[in-house]
């Protein structure tokens, strides 16, 4: 059963092994968890433990595996993952696009995300439903998801490829990883194993 954004009360707790746990539902908390889970500088176990600490605070369930599953379900708004044979490109990165997201919320909703506490479910709903084509975030997301039709002229294809390359998230992630790797190599005294 899917969540009704108008009628259902936004959850502020989860149940793990029949025990109710209060959780941090603010979008900034969830974004920090997502950022942590995407960070290659941590091993999987560190990501899980630290994200659980952020989400549950001082009251961490004993069964960390179930606790983490509840956390992921919460982030996904308890919606089933829609399987589709077509590969979906990532069109938004909460870190790289943070300025665009901030600006879009100001333009569309007059909400200053820096000064606002907003439930993750509300934030997700608002973000997903920004549709004004004049908003820079939407323009860039559209470019990232754009398919190059074989019926386009060579000039159109070249323009789209150029825009997709300019706003590609892959290059941003590679730059971040290269910087992190060179930083840690420098910290280790340039030792390469």
């Amino acid at each position: 059963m899917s969540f009704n954004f108008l009628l259902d009360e936004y959850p502020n707790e989860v149940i793990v092994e029949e025990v109710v746990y209060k959780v941090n539902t603010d979008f900034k908390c969830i974004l920090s968890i997502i950022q942590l889970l995407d960070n290659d500088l941590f091993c999987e176990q560190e990501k899980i433990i630290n994200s659980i600490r952020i989400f549950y605070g001082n009251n961490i369930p004993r069964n960390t595996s179930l606790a983490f599953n509840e956390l992921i379900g919460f982030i996904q708004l308890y919606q089933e993952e829609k399987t589709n044979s077509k590969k979906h490109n990532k069109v938004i990165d909460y870190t790289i696009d943070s300025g665009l997201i901030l600006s879009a919320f100001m333009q569309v909703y007059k909400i200053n995300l820096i000064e606002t506490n907003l439930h993750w479910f509300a934030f997700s709903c608002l973000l997903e439903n920004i549709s004004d084509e004049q908003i820079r975030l939407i323009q860039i997301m559209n470019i990232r998801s754009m398919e190059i039709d074989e019926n386009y002229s060579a000039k159109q294809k070249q323009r789209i490829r150029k825009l997709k390359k300019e706003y590609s998230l892959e290059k941003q992630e590679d730059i971040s990883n290269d910087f992190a790797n060179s930083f840690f190599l420098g910290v280790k005294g340039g030792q390469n194993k």
Side-chain angles (χ1 to χ4, degrees):
M1 186 170 166
S2 64
F3 184 80
N4 185 317
F5 286 91
L6 295 174
L7 301 176
D8 295 342
E9 188 174 323
Y10 288 3
N12 61 2
E13 51 194 28
V14 297
I15 300 172
V16 179
E17 295 185 317
E18 300 180 23
V19 178
V20 176
Y21 293 90
K22 288 270 188 203
V23 294
N24 190 339
T25 63
D26 186 66
F27 79 98
K28 292 173 192 165
C29 165
I30 303 303
L31 291 179
S32 66
I33 291 170
I34 292 170
Q35 186 176 20
L36 171 66
L37 294 174
D38 284 342
N39 191 332
D40 292 333
L41 300 177
F42 297 97
C43 72
E44 291 304 311
Q45 190 63 25
E46 289 172 320
K47 291 178 184 183
I48 291 170
I49 295 300
N50 288 321
S51 60
I52 287 172
R53 285 183 182 139
I54 295 168
F55 190 61
Y56 290 91
N58 293 328
N59 194 15
I60 298 174
R62 286 181 190 255
N63 188 328
T64 55
S65 178
L66 289 177
F68 185 71
N69 288 343
E70 281 299 315
L71 181 157
I72 295 300
F74 186 91
I75 290 174
Q76 296 173 345
L77 312 180
Y78 298 111
Q79 296 175 353
E80 292 294 320
E81 192 77 27
K82 294 177 180 131
T83 55
N84 194 339
S85 59
K86 195 174 185 181
K87 182 185 173 203
H88 291 286
N89 291 332
K90 183 176 177 183
V91 296
I92 191 166
D93 182 288
Y94 294 113
T95 301
I96 294 168
D97 297 327
S98 60
L100 296 169
I101 295 168
L102 176 66
S103 175
F105 270 72
M106 290 285 283
Q107 287 176 273
V108 175
Y109 303 119
K110 310 297 184 243
I111 296 174
N112 183 344
L113 291 175
I114 295 170
E115 299 172 354
T116 302
N117 292 327
L118 192 61
H119 193 284
W120 171 247
F121 282 35
F123 171 82
S124 297
C125 179
L126 292 172
L127 181 61
E128 185 177 319
N129 289 290
I130 294 174
S131 62
D132 187 343
E133 293 296 323
Q134 300 303 311
I135 302 298
R136 186 101 173 111
L137 173 66
I138 301 305
Q139 293 171 351
I140 291 172
M141 288 172 63
N142 286 339
I143 290 168
R144 289 175 182 156
S145 66
M146 192 178 294
E147 297 288 330
I148 299 175
D149 191 312
E150 57 188 57
N151 295 327
Y152 290 162
S153 70
K155 190 174 181 177
Q156 288 173 313
K157 289 178 184 178
Q158 181 182 10
R159 181 179 169 275
I160 293 170
R161 283 189 189 99
K162 181 181 175 192
L163 288 170
K164 288 178 82 61
K165 183 177 179 184
E166 182 177 347
Y167 295 111
S168 171
L169 290 174
E170 285 80 27
K171 76 169 185 187
Q172 295 292 336
E173 290 169 356
D174 290 345
I175 290 169
S176 298
N177 288 340
D178 289 347
F179 172 77
N181 289 338
S182 64
F183 174 78
F184 281 107
L185 283 175
V187 169
K188 292 179 181 177
Q191 298 173 2
N192 214 350
K193 295 185 178 183

